[in-house]
Amino acid sequence: MEQKKIVFSAEPARVEEFAALPQVAMSTPFDTAALTVLALSLYPKNRDLCYDALNLLKGPRPLSEYDKQFIRDRFMDKDYVPRSYFDGATPDNDYTPSLPLTITVSDNPYSYQQEGYAKLFIKSGGADSPREVLLRLAKDGKWYLWEQYLLSGIREPESQNPWA
């Protein structure tokens, strides 16, 4: 089982900054999985930047209107979910990650069962089990985002939980 820590100095403010990140070479599925978290974390501040970044990661298969609606629905009152995947972000600190932004991505013995695909896992500070990202290897040698299961519900931040 392999585990990699992918580090970003800060959230990009423009798609050009996102595209300039070294991980956007997408030479490993670990990089693309971590970039997916980074892209989703942009949504609360800039929805279009989030979509543009995800489309970059999805390559020849861009987001559909259904995909955009799904993302929009998941962010209603829960903009903290993507931040929960950054190391150190927990309900106790309202899912506030520290800089540099670090995402730990893991595989397991079943990650590469289907040729040309990688199923990787990212731990959320608000969930009991890691969440899955499915990546697909294209002819150009890049690992593209195929599916992500990162926007499921997690524990509320303490500031939003009257019982905490």
Side-chain angles (χ1 to χ4, degrees):
M1 191 164 123
E2 189 173 4
Q3 191 175 68
K4 290 190 177 184
K5 289 189 177 290
I6 312 295
V7 178
F8 304 102
S9 58
E11 286 184 339
R14 298 183 348 259
V15 72
E16 295 82 10
E17 292 174 25
F18 187 89
L21 293 168
Q23 294 86 354
V24 174
M26 297 188 290
S27 58
T28 75
F30 291 88
D31 285 341
T32 307
L35 285 165
T36 301
V37 171
L38 184 64
L40 288 169
S41 75
L42 301 171
Y43 187 92
K45 295 175 190 154
N46 188 332
R47 178 185 306 183
D48 291 332
L49 176 56
C50 169
Y51 292 155
D52 290 345
L54 287 170
N55 279 329
L56 185 68
L57 299 178
K58 290 183 73 59
R61 194 180 125 201
L63 292 169
S64 67
E65 286 307 312
Y66 172 82
D67 294 329
K68 291 177 183 178
Q69 182 63 45
F70 178 82
I71 292 168
R72 210 171 15 253
D73 290 348
R74 294 302 171 274
F75 273 95
M76 304 214 21
D77 301 324
K78 294 188 189 300
D79 69 347
Y80 53 85
V81 173
R83 291 193 318 265
S84 77
Y85 294 100
F86 292 114
D87 289 2
T90 64
D92 303 354
N93 64 13
D94 292 329
Y95 298 110
T96 304
S98 56
L99 291 175
L101 300 170
T102 305
I103 301 162
T104 303
V105 183
S106 315
D107 66 7
N108 69 25
Y110 306 103
S111 288
Y112 305 99
Q113 285 190 314
Q114 191 175 357
E115 187 176 340
Y117 291 86
K119 186 188 301 183
L120 299 181
F121 302 89
I122 304 173
K123 179 83 173 104
S124 163
D128 294 330
S129 58
R131 303 292 167 83
E132 181 181 313
V133 180
L134 185 62
L135 306 131
R136 185 171 185 184
L137 183 61
K139 288 187 245 178
D140 63 5
K142 293 182 178 182
W143 286 93
Y144 289 97
L145 173 62
W146 193 249
E147 294 288 336
Q148 58 82 16
Y149 305 95
L150 300 172
L151 298 177
S152 302
I154 59 172
R155 288 185 283 284
E156 288 184 340
E158 282 193 11
S159 66
Q160 294 182 21
N161 183 349
W163 306 106

